[in-house]
């Protein structure tokens, strides 16, 4: 039997939503072991002078407790 835990993090990138997701998972994997999946809970953009300056995602990351 295994037990999973879910945490919520946010990540941001000037390149796009995909880059923000990759960066969030990469950073989380530095301190979390056994990551099994990720759910994108929310997406938003920051805008300045009518232009998108960054993309932000809120992620729910699932990992198995050992």
């Amino acid at each position: 039997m295994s037990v999973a835990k879910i945490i919520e993090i946010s990540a941001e990138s000037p390149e796009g939503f995909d880059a923000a997701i990759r960066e969030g998972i990469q950073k989380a994997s530095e301190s979390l072991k056994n990551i099994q999946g990720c759910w994108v809970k929310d997406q938003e953009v920051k805008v300045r002078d009518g232009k998108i300056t960054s993309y932000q995602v809120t992620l729910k990351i699932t990992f198995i407790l050992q």
Side-chain angles (χ1 to χ4, degrees):
M1 177 175 87
S2 55
V3 176
K5 183 171 184 171
I6 299 171
I7 63 165
E8 189 170 293
I9 66 168
S10 64
E12 189 173 346
S13 172
E15 298 172 13
F17 290 120
D18 287 342
I21 292 167
R22 283 192 304 273
E23 289 177 23
I25 292 173
Q26 179 182 13
K27 188 66 174 174
S29 68
E30 291 176 10
S31 60
L32 299 174
K33 304 297 181 210
N34 303 313
I35 293 177
Q36 299 295 306
C38 172
W39 176 62
V40 179
K41 179 181 174 185
D42 193 27
Q43 297 179 329
E44 68 178 88
V45 295
K46 293 186 180 178
V47 178
R48 179 179 291 159
D49 298 325
K51 295 182 181 180
I52 296 173
T53 58
S54 66
Y55 300 81
Q56 184 174 356
V57 293
T58 303
L59 306 172
K60 292 188 125 187
I61 296 180
T62 304
F63 58 101
I64 302 298
L65 299 175
Q66 297 272 328

